[in-house]
Amino acid sequence: MAEWLRERGVIEPAGLIVLGSGWSGLAETAEPIGVWDYSGIPGLPETTTPGHPGRLMHVVWHGVTCVVLVGRWHVYEGHTFAEAALPGMLAHALRCRWLLSTNAAGGVASHLRVGDLVVAEDDVFLWNAKGFRQRAEERFSHVPRYSELLENAFDRAGNAVNVRFSKGVLAMMTGPCYETPAEVGMIRASGASVVSMSTVPESRWARLAGLNAAAVSCVTNLVPSSPLARIRHDEVLEVLGMSLAKAARLIERWLEDEYVRCASGRRCYGLA
Ligand code: HPA
């Protein structure tokens, strides 16, 4: 898959961005160099969830050449955790310096409100997924943290464009159902601030491979406190649509940061 992209001119992009549920409009301001449907790229799964168009874009975005995966495939669509980690593997194979994941998430921490943005400092991965663990973790005894350099770039970007966000812990559940109140109790006890159905496999893979990773969640709902509360995917997409302008200001400014651009020409991140 990386070779196929290299043959089409995708040579050492600075980073790879994954746009999750409802985030796809974010890439509209990027200048495309090449755009391919996942279905035409060897090794990339197709997407079936509404709000996940399934397009890979090679773009220049605020001066940064990067790859954008517009839409995800998920474990709840029948993929393994290793397949869910493919964006991290692809970022590594393309020699990207960083991976930025975005997702829709349920707000667990009591201070969160619908529409809030949360930048991940850490994550909770409850799944001892065989293929994933064997392939990703055999050479490592611990998972590197999310990149402080990229987090600091978010602090600078947020201050510059006056977009508030909080930092917290991202938990992943497999879906496709939203969590039961009992599961919410477990997630809350784990210390997670937000819960999503994605991101953690790709991010862990990238971190284990030596890339810098960041993740931004948009809180599309608060996790249900009563068994009667219902969350719907179309409402998740609608809320994300309303928060996208704010998220775009933050991420576009983040792309302009010199740590993210590596404007100085030195390899400021990761890969040896
Ligand atoms: N749980 C899991 N994933 C989600 C949620 C949620 O409440 N909202 C959006 N994605």
Side-chain angles (χ1 to χ4, degrees), residues 72-141:
R72 275 200 188 83
W73 51 92
H74 300 84
V75 170
Y76 64 73
E77 290 165 278
H79 299 292
T80 64
F81 286 92
E83 284 160 351
L86 271 169
M89 296 179 200
L90 180 60
H92 179 231
L94 289 172
R95 298 187 57 79
C96 293
R97 291 181 283 254
W98 48 260
L99 172 75
L100 171 63
S101 303
T102 63
N103 60 50
V108 181
S110 56
H111 70 272
L112 290 173
R113 298 287 168 264
V114 168
D116 282 0
L117 300 173
V118 180
V119 171
E121 288 179 314
D122 202 351
D123 54 27
V124 176
F125 187 56
L126 299 161
W127 315 104
N128 184 15
K130 198 169 163 224
F132 181 86
R133 293 275 156 154
Q134 278 173 352
R135 290 175 61 194
E137 299 187 4
E138 61 193 359
R139 289 185 296 124
F140 304 92
S141 57

Side-chain angles (χ1 to χ4, degrees), residues 3-239:
E3 203 41 52
W4 189 93
L5 289 167
R6 262 193 288 274
E7 282 165 12
R8 283 153 186 81
V10 184
I11 312 286
E12 298 208 12
L16 190 146
I17 300 176
V18 190
L19 298 180
S21 287
W23 283 81
S24 55
L26 203 78
E28 275 164 16
T29 58
E31 284 168 52
I33 308 170
V35 181
W36 301 275
D37 287 339
Y38 293 171
S39 55
I41 305 176
L44 272 199
E46 290 188 40
T47 53
T48 63
T49 312
H52 292 263
R55 265 195 313 277
L56 183 148
M57 300 175 71
H58 182 210
V59 298
V60 181
W61 199 359
H62 287 266
V64 183
T65 305
C66 51
V67 167
V68 185
L69 292 179
V70 188
R72 275 200 188 83
W73 51 92
H74 300 84
V75 170
Y76 64 73
E77 290 165 278
H79 299 292
T80 64
F81 286 92
E83 284 160 351
L86 271 169
M89 296 179 200
L90 180 60
H92 179 231
L94 289 172
R95 298 187 57 79
C96 293
R97 291 181 283 254
W98 48 260
L99 172 75
L100 171 63
S101 303
T102 63
N103 60 50
V108 181
S110 56
H111 70 272
L112 290 173
R113 298 287 168 264
V114 168
D116 282 0
L117 300 173
V118 180
V119 171
E121 288 179 314
D122 202 351
D123 54 27
V124 176
F125 187 56
L126 299 161
W127 315 104
N128 184 15
K130 198 169 163 224
F132 181 86
R133 293 275 156 154
Q134 278 173 352
R135 290 175 61 194
E137 299 187 4
E138 61 193 359
R139 289 185 296 124
F140 304 92
S141 57
H142 73 280
V143 185
R145 58 162 284 139
Y146 284 83
S147 163
E148 265 175 300
L149 291 171
L150 296 184
E151 244 176 79
N152 295 343
F154 271 114
D155 290 335
R156 289 190 292 272
N159 285 334
V161 295
N162 201 21
V163 170
R164 302 280 143 243
F165 61 86
S166 54
K167 296 190 187 172
V169 175
L170 168 66
M172 177 193 172
M173 296 293 277
T174 59
C177 302
Y178 293 97
E179 293 69 36
T180 65
E183 286 167 338
V184 170
M186 173 191 73
I187 295 163
R188 193 165 274 134
S190 79
S193 339
V194 280
V195 55
S196 154
M197 297 178 197
S198 69
T199 300
V200 178
E202 74 209 23
S203 168
R204 285 203 166 198
W205 195 287
R207 281 138 66 201
L208 287 163
L211 275 79
N212 288 268
V216 185
S217 301
C218 177
V219 175
T220 53
N221 54 280
L222 301 179
V223 289
S225 48
S226 99
L228 296 177
R230 292 273 181 277
I231 303 164
R232 295 206 334 248
H233 185 63
D234 54 349
E235 286 169 357
V236 163
L237 296 181
E238 195 182 317
V239 172

